[in-house]
Amino acid sequence: EVHLVESGGGLVQPGGSLRLSCAASEFTFSSYWMHWVRQAPGKGLVWVSRISSDGSMTTYADSVKGRFTVSRDNAKNTLYLQMNSLRAEDTAVYYCTRLLYNGSYYFDYWGQGTLVTVSS
Amino acid sequence: AIQMTQSPSSLSASVGDRVTITCRASQGIRNDLGWYQQKPGKAPKLLIYAASTLQSGVPSRFSGGGSGTDFTLTISSLQPEDAATYHCLQVYNFPWTFGQGTKVEIK
């Protein structure tokens, strides 16, 4: 069974930094594009970023561009999200997701999420 | 960015009812749409991709339809375990965008 386990969330002050991790297991991590999706408390889902299977290509939502960096270590089966210059509006549960394609793209597995709270 | 508008934002229905949720895209997205179910405190779960393809293991009472700008998620016979929030997601172009969600409650 595919497993995605996020960690690294917590309370951080505005302007601070945090690095999220997503440990993947039970599948060939290096073969899949991975994404981050977030959800503010009581709000809808928002796509954040993506990274190619080899880490050479990344894309970001405008709201995090220049502040967040997605990366991966395929030897460690781990996805990362480095978050800098954090703002109150970045407060959310962050999910890592695995991407598949079969006529269209979709997220077939999600982690359980890790909560990031930006507050003074 | 493509805007995804879901309706209704919430609904209450009885066990056995047929329930339909719609999602409208601000521009054509072919069939590049998925539906996800989310229960409180849990991660979303994939129900349907490519607008109408049922994900393996998902009960057949769930079905999806539509193409272009208008899409539907139908639950043919609502069950107690279907109480959740349902989200559509367009994967036609970046940034990928979700609808605002539809909360389904059981009467």
Side-chain angles (χ1 to χ4, degrees):
Chain A
E1 174 78 9
V2 168
H3 267 89
L4 296 171
V5 180
E6 300 94 338
S7 60
L11 176 64
V12 61
Q13 292 188 340
S17 298
L18 214 53
R19 188 177 82 156
L20 306 183
S21 299
C22 171
S25 59
E26 304 303 324
F27 68 100
T28 306
F29 179 69
S30 60
S31 296
Y32 292 86
W33 288 61
M34 299 293 293
H35 291 235
W36 289 97
V37 173
R38 70 183 182 183
Q39 186 171 37
K43 302 297 184 182
L45 299 165
V46 176
W47 175 81
V48 173
S49 73
R50 67 166 177 170
I51 186 167
S52 60
S53 56
D54 65 358
S56 63
M57 181 176 175
T58 59
T59 311
Y60 300 91
D62 285 347
S63 59
V64 307
K65 201 174 295 182
R67 300 188 299 122
F68 289 13
T69 302
V70 59
S71 62
R72 63 193 298 161
D73 185 335
N74 285 343
K76 295 183 177 179
N77 292 335
T78 304
L79 174 72
Y80 302 101
L81 187 66
Q82 177 67 43
M83 304 185 296
N84 298 331
S85 303
L86 283 161
R87 307 166 180 167
E89 54 265 35
D90 296 318
T91 294
V93 174
Y94 285 74
Y95 297 99
C96 64
T97 67
R98 188 179 84 163
L99 184 71
L100 280 188
Y101 181 84
N102 182 9
S104 184
Y105 292 104
Y106 55 97
F107 300 133
D108 66 334
Y109 282 97
W110 298 62
Q112 86 287 351
T114 187
L115 176 62
V116 172
T117 303
V118 184
S119 174
S120 55
Chain B
I2 296 174
Q3 292 192 5
M4 304 301 295
T5 304
Q6 266 183 255
S7 61
S9 55
S10 66
L11 65 91
S12 182
S14 300
V15 172
D17 283 354
R18 182 180 183 90
V19 168
T20 298
I21 299 167
T22 65
C23 194
R24 175 164 289 177
S26 59
Q27 67 182 71
I29 59 171
R30 302 182 309 193
N31 70 333
D32 287 327
L33 183 115
W35 290 96
Y36 296 81
Q37 176 194 64
Q38 187 179 29
K39 296 184 178 180
K42 300 294 187 182
K45 171 190 170 185
L46 174 69
L47 297 176
I48 285 168
Y49 63 93
S52 61
T53 302
L54 194 68
Q55 170 68 345
S56 176
V58 173
S60 59
R61 64 181 180 273
F62 291 93
S63 64
S67 183
T69 59
D70 294 310
F71 301 87
T72 58
L73 172 70
T74 298
I75 308 173
S76 60
S77 177
L78 191 67
Q79 299 301 302
E81 60 267 32
D82 300 335
T85 298
Y86 294 83
H87 308 269
C88 62
L89 167 65
Q90 70 81 15
V91 295
Y92 179 71
N93 65 14
F94 284 94
W96 288 358
T97 44
F98 291 87
Q100 79 276 19
T102 295
K103 186 174 183 179
V104 174
E105 296 180 329
I106 310 296
K107 282 183 184 174

